[in-house]
Amino acid sequence: MAENANTNTSSNPQKFERETAKRVFAHEFKGAVPVEKLGNDQFEPAYVQTALGEKINRVFVVGVATEAEDVSNGEVMMRMRVADPTGVFIVYAGQYQPEARDAIMNLRVPAFVAVVGKAHTYAKGEQVYTSIRAENVNVVDEKTRDRWVKETIEITRERIKNSKASDDTKKSYEGMVETAQKAVSANSTTPPAEK
Amino acid sequence: MNSNEISEKFRNAGVTVAPDRIEKLMENYKKFSVPQNEVERTVMRTLANENGIDITALYTKTVKIGDLKSEDEWVTLMAKVVQLWDNDHEAVSQVGLIGDETGIVKITVWKKAEIPLLLEEGKSYLFKNLVTNKYLDRIQVAATPNTEIEEIKEDIQAKGKEVTLSGAIVDVINGSGLIKRCPECKRALVKGACGNHGKVEGIYDLRLKAVLDDGKAAYSILAQAEIVTKLTGITVDKAKEMATEALDQSVVNVEIVKKVIGRYFTFKCAPIDTNYLVKEIIEVI
Ligand SMILES: [Zn+2]
């Protein structure tokens, strides 16, 4: 038997056990691939891994919902497209996410939305499709979106810095961050709302 | 400890023992070459028995919460009840948090302690002879049959080691929104019944249990009615109205969820076990 007792999961017992909602731009998320599970534990969380090496189970994204539609096919399912400055997230909510599903159903696009959910992948032939299985969906405002973009720029820059990816890969993601940066800089000409 | 110090200890426990009487008792042990602390202990036990007081009452130290370190110590605290929690344990009368100017600590009042009063949030008390214990490396205190609790007039300022947390609220946990508490012990009622007092006419309260996430870590946060109102504009009265109108308590939760999910907040919080109690809202985006 392999000596692999130290799996790094027994963190400080005081820590609140919950998967952090990672911040990731749509462009990086889209290229993520599923991470194979280590064991047979059905409760082991599922992860996807991005080209920069970030392992993601849960995500938090804020963007513009551009489309929301009922794609029920035997089972109830809502699908929503959420755009950030770099691309589009595909978001699903089904029978096990009734609150998120209702929120999408009641949405009038376009709208600023915040989405909390689990990263999901679906393989079709050679192609891997990533999506978010929503846990919570809420309508927010532009300020929240801008804050999310700024935060995600910061986190992504740090991720690029620490990434073991090739220089070419890093360079292409630096370009993605630039694009996001331009989008919020363009927005920052609007005066901040008074408190 | 010399005889004067021992005498002082008894005086603190409300019993007068002359120092020369103590010296005389100590003298008896001299010839046996017993270690000094064992002599002290034996003498104190003898005098405690004579005067009908509990020995633990003599060993207790009046301390500050921030100085609590070791377990199995008898301590006396002056502290304010910061929060009382729901408690499902039959053997427990009340559980919650007490604080002074140096920190906050979890307290468990065991039923067998037979404390004649019920603690109330926001009130300050003198807790005589609590016993310390450790759970997951964190110090806690408990009221046992040796404990006495009395309300005091001073308003103790409960200041935990506060931390500032910033992030987005990504989840609202069950048990948030409009709840009913037992008028006597403040426990949250389950199906209209209190674990201690059975079916009671509950008092309405508002609370929020949520997850604040900064992309690096997730924090479990708790907020009491005052903070919930500031965050959502919903007062306890308004929440009651909403629930009455909809004939459903959960409408309040739905409204809270709409107000907080996906939004960014900066809170000043007091860490408690694995949770963070929101003390102040610093920023809302
Ligand atoms: Zn009760």
Side-chain angles (χ1 to χ4, degrees):
Chain A
M1 237 184 96
E3 276 272 323
N4 198 15
N6 195 0
T7 49
N8 229 350
T9 47
S10 60
S11 52
N12 181 356
Q14 278 302 309
K15 221 181 118 192
F16 169 57
E17 293 296 341
R18 182 185 159 102
E19 287 288 340
T20 302
K22 298 289 174 69
R23 314 299 203 250
V24 60
F25 283 119
H27 178 71
E28 185 184 345
F29 185 70
K30 195 180 174 194
V33 293
V35 176
E36 269 193 49
K37 290 194 175 193
L38 288 169
N40 297 319
D41 182 1
Q42 59 165 320
F43 296 110
E44 185 187 331
Y47 293 92
V48 302
Q49 190 162 23
T50 72
L52 289 172
E54 187 68 28
K55 275 172 83 183
I56 300 174
N57 168 264
R58 179 179 276 123
V59 284
F60 172 61
V61 305
V62 183
V64 181
T66 55
E67 197 180 287
E69 59 178 337
D70 192 335
V71 291
S72 302
N73 182 10
E75 106 183 86
V76 200
M77 189 69 76
M78 290 297 296
R79 183 175 65 197
M80 168 171 69
R81 290 172 67 86
V82 177
D84 76 7
T86 74
V88 175
F89 293 98
I90 306 297
V91 179
Y92 286 97
Q95 60 171 324
Y96 298 114
Q97 303 89 28
E99 289 91 3
R101 201 187 63 220
D102 288 354
I104 297 174
M105 224 178 262
N106 296 326
L107 208 61
R108 290 177 61 182
V109 295
F112 291 108
V113 289
V115 178
V116 183
K118 293 293 182 84
H120 205 75
T121 52
Y122 164 69
K124 196 176 174 188
E126 292 287 279
Q127 191 68 32
V128 175
Y129 297 93
T130 59
S131 61
I132 299 171
R133 195 54 69 99
E135 295 171 309
N136 282 305
V137 172
N138 200 20
V139 174
V140 293
D141 57 16
E142 193 176 357
K143 277 191 301 177
T144 302
R145 194 276 308 266
D146 290 354
R147 162 77 185 246
W148 179 85
V149 173
K150 281 178 194 156
E151 179 181 72
T152 307
I153 287 171
E154 245 172 70
I155 289 176
T156 307
R157 278 195 176 133
E158 205 175 314
R159 195 177 291 151
I160 293 170
K161 211 174 73 189
N162 299 325
S163 173
K164 292 190 181 80
S166 72
D167 287 350
D168 281 355
T169 304
K170 288 188 182 189
K171 195 147 255 153
S172 88
Y173 282 100
E174 272 161 19
M176 173 193 76
V177 172
E178 283 308 307
T179 309
Q181 182 70 65
K182 276 179 201 143
V184 275
S185 307
N187 281 336
S188 65
T189 48
T190 44
E194 53 272 72
K195 282 200 177 164
Chain B
M1 248 187 305
N2 61 34
S3 54
N4 281 322
E5 285 165 331
I6 292 176
S7 173
E8 174 74 21
K9 279 207 175 294
F10 275 91
R11 193 159 38 249
N12 289 341
V15 175
T16 310
V17 183
D20 49 359
R21 161 100 175 102
I22 296 166
E23 250 153 55
K24 215 166 159 188
L25 281 168
M26 289 175 114
E27 199 64 32
N28 290 343
Y29 287 93
K30 282 254 165 80
K31 55 177 182 273
F32 293 102
S33 304
V34 177
Q36 176 63 18
N37 57 4
E38 185 57 27
V39 173
E40 287 168 15
R41 204 187 164 84
T42 312
V43 168
M44 285 171 74
R45 190 173 293 270
T46 307
L47 289 168
N49 286 343
E50 274 180 24
N51 290 284
I53 61 168
D54 195 286
I55 186 80
T56 57
L58 302 171
Y59 279 98
T60 194
K61 283 187 290 189
T62 302
V63 294
K64 296 290 182 202
I65 289 170
D67 296 328
L68 295 175
K69 273 180 196 79
S70 30
E71 49 193 327
D72 295 325
E73 268 200 85
W74 293 95
V75 294
T76 292
L77 300 171
M78 290 229 281
K80 177 190 268 182
V81 177
V82 177
Q83 198 181 50
L84 292 169
W85 297 341
D86 305 342
N87 129 55
D88 303 319
H89 295 280
E90 292 241 323
V92 173
S93 159
Q94 287 184 292
V95 61
L97 303 165
I98 58 172
D100 64 17
E101 61 277 17
T102 66
I104 287 180
V105 69
K106 181 177 169 186
I107 185 170
T108 303
V109 181
W110 296 100
K111 278 217 176 106
K112 65 174 195 287
E114 294 184 348
I115 302 294
L117 58 77
L118 279 161
L119 301 175
E120 288 180 46
E121 280 177 12
K123 286 193 175 169
S124 298
Y125 300 85
L126 173 65
F127 297 88
K128 276 190 197 165
N129 302 324
L130 294 170
V131 67
T132 62
N133 60 73
K134 267 187 183 171
Y135 180 70
L136 297 176
D137 241 23
R138 205 164 285 214
I139 207 90
Q140 307 182 340
V141 293
T144 72
N146 292 323
T147 304
E148 282 173 44
I149 304 177
E150 55 191 75
E151 198 184 330
I152 53 175
K153 289 212 175 72
E154 293 127 285
D155 183 31
I156 304 287
Q157 289 307 306
K159 269 214 187 82
K161 292 175 205 116
E162 288 180 347
V163 291
T164 303
L165 297 180
S166 275
I169 288 188
V170 295
D171 207 0
V172 170
I173 309 296
N174 284 343
S176 295
L178 188 64
I179 56 158
K180 268 185 171 179
R181 293 190 184 279
C182 171
E184 285 189 66
C185 67
K186 306 291 187 286
R187 256 186 180 188
L189 303 185
V190 179
K191 288 176 183 145
C194 165
N196 281 335
H197 302 96
K199 267 241 176 302
V200 288
E201 195 64 46
I203 308 167
Y204 281 106
D205 194 12
L206 261 181
R207 70 174 173 189
L208 173 66
K209 296 181 181 179
V211 180
L212 189 79
D213 187 312
D214 64 6
K216 305 270 173 71
Y219 304 94
S220 164
I221 60 154
L222 311 169
Q224 289 167 286
E226 188 194 340
I227 298 285
V228 177
T229 301
K230 281 184 187 157
L231 286 176
T232 63
I234 303 168
T235 59
V236 176
D237 285 342
K238 167 84 174 144
K240 278 196 296 201
E241 241 173 68
M242 290 162 66
T244 312
E245 213 163 284
L247 300 170
D248 182 3
Q249 219 151 292
S250 70
V251 294
V252 179
N253 204 21
V254 170
E255 209 47 45
I256 291 173
V257 163
K258 277 189 197 159
K259 291 269 174 26
V260 300
I261 287 279
R263 296 183 68 194
Y264 285 87
F265 301 90
T266 302
F267 297 128
K268 196 174 266 182
C269 302
I272 304 140
D273 284 350
T274 58
N275 302 307
Y276 290 84
L277 178 67
V278 178
K279 309 281 282 188
E280 200 185 317
I281 304 161
I282 296 174
E283 197 191 9
V284 180
I285 287 187

